[in-house]
Amino acid sequence: MSAALMDVRFSDSEERIVPFPLAGQVSLVRRCASELENIHGEAALQYWKTECRALAARLKTLGCAEDAISQQVMAFQTEVQVEMMRRYSDRLAAEAQDGYRLNP
């Protein structure tokens, strides 16, 4: 394994597969953000737990260390929150722009 790949520190073992960082999986981040916009309360919490646990299980299957899995899932969670804030901000800006055009 190259020195550059060892610096990624997904695990201490000699992995053959280096997973693409969860936080960089834009379509996955956007899908989760979209789902979470449409559900609330206990349903949202259960969806979120299920998604994060499935991602962690996938990384574990690939042989990633527990610390790396935790870091990956937390970075992913942050990116989903950022995406949700961006989407909300975009909606507010669009509504403000529409309101401005409707009431010159």
Side-chain angles (χ1 to χ4, degrees), residues 4-5 8 12 16 24 31 35 40-42 44 53 60 75 83 85-87 98-99:
L5 289 179
V8 173
D12 295 330
R16 295 177 192 257
R31 180 182 59 79
E35 290 290 329
H40 304 284
E42 187 62 29
R53 287 175 181 156
K60 186 172 181 81
E83 176 66 14
M85 288 186 293
R86 184 194 62 77
R87 293 163 72 100
D98 287 344

Side-chain angles (χ1 to χ4, degrees), residues 72-90:
Q72 287 286 320
V73 171
M74 290 188 65
F76 172 77
Q77 290 173 338
T78 299
E79 287 303 314
V80 171
Q81 293 296 319
V82 168
E83 176 66 14
M84 290 177 72
M85 288 186 293
R86 184 194 62 77
R87 293 163 72 100
Y88 179 72
S89 178
D90 288 351

Side-chain angles (χ1 to χ4, degrees), residues 37-92:
E37 284 180 334
N38 297 313
I39 56 176
H40 304 284
E42 187 62 29
L45 182 61
Q46 288 307 312
Y47 169 79
W48 194 228
K49 285 181 178 180
T50 300
E51 285 295 315
C52 291
R53 287 175 181 156
L55 293 171
R58 188 173 75 189
L59 291 175
K60 186 172 181 81
T61 299
L62 293 174
C64 294
E66 291 297 324
D67 286 348
I69 292 170
S70 179
Q71 290 172 359
Q72 287 286 320
V73 171
M74 290 188 65
F76 172 77
Q77 290 173 338
T78 299
E79 287 303 314
V80 171
Q81 293 296 319
V82 168
E83 176 66 14
M84 290 177 72
M85 288 186 293
R86 184 194 62 77
R87 293 163 72 100
Y88 179 72
S89 178
D90 288 351
R91 277 195 309 277
L92 287 178

